[in-house]
Amino acid sequence: MRILMSLLLLVLFCSIQLTSSAPNALEAQSSCCFQFYKKKIPLNLVVSFYQTRMSSKDFRTAGREFCVDPNSSWVNSHIAKMNSRTTTATTAKTLSTTV
């Protein structure tokens, strides 16, 4: 009985933790940019990117996030290359699992 009660408390605690942290995760993806980073970020440092509410782009490196101008040619080039890397990696993974 004691083990069952401990297990129930653990599950309750974990579910509260998950539901309370979910809004924070969504908030991080919907931030707004008020100023763009002006310098070109080397592609090999960019880990990921996402679009903010104001239709600008945020690039993530290993340690920082940079708000960049979506109309800049280097930004669009980086995004295209990252999308092709993702597509290539997904295709390679699919092919390796089917073989």
Side-chain angles (χ1 to χ4, degrees):
M1 183 69 173
R2 205 173 223 175
I3 293 173
L4 183 60
M5 195 63 140
S6 298
L7 185 60
L8 180 62
L9 285 173
L10 179 64
V11 168
L12 181 64
F13 175 74
C14 290
S15 65
I16 290 172
Q17 179 66 26
L18 285 173
T19 57
S20 66
S21 65
N24 292 336
L26 293 175
E27 210 171 277
Q29 292 289 328
S30 62
S31 62
C32 293
C33 293
F34 298 105
Q35 189 173 17
F36 293 133
Y37 186 74
K38 303 263 187 250
K39 297 179 182 175
K40 182 177 177 180
I41 302 168
L43 180 62
N44 62 334
L45 297 180
V46 179
V47 175
S48 65
F49 70 93
Y50 64 93
Q51 186 166 337
T52 63
R53 279 191 214 167
M54 301 302 287
S55 74
S56 60
K57 304 283 191 242
D58 263 19
F59 279 176
R60 288 186 181 163
T61 61
R64 291 182 60 189
E65 289 187 18
F66 298 92
C67 190
V68 293
D69 183 3
N71 297 321
S72 177
S73 61
W74 71 266
V75 171
N76 292 319
S77 173
H78 278 25
I79 290 171
K81 288 175 184 172
M82 290 186 68
N83 283 337
S84 71
R85 280 194 298 198
T86 305
T87 305
T88 304
T90 304
T91 305
K93 185 177 180 182
T94 304
L95 289 175
S96 68
T97 56
T98 58
V99 173

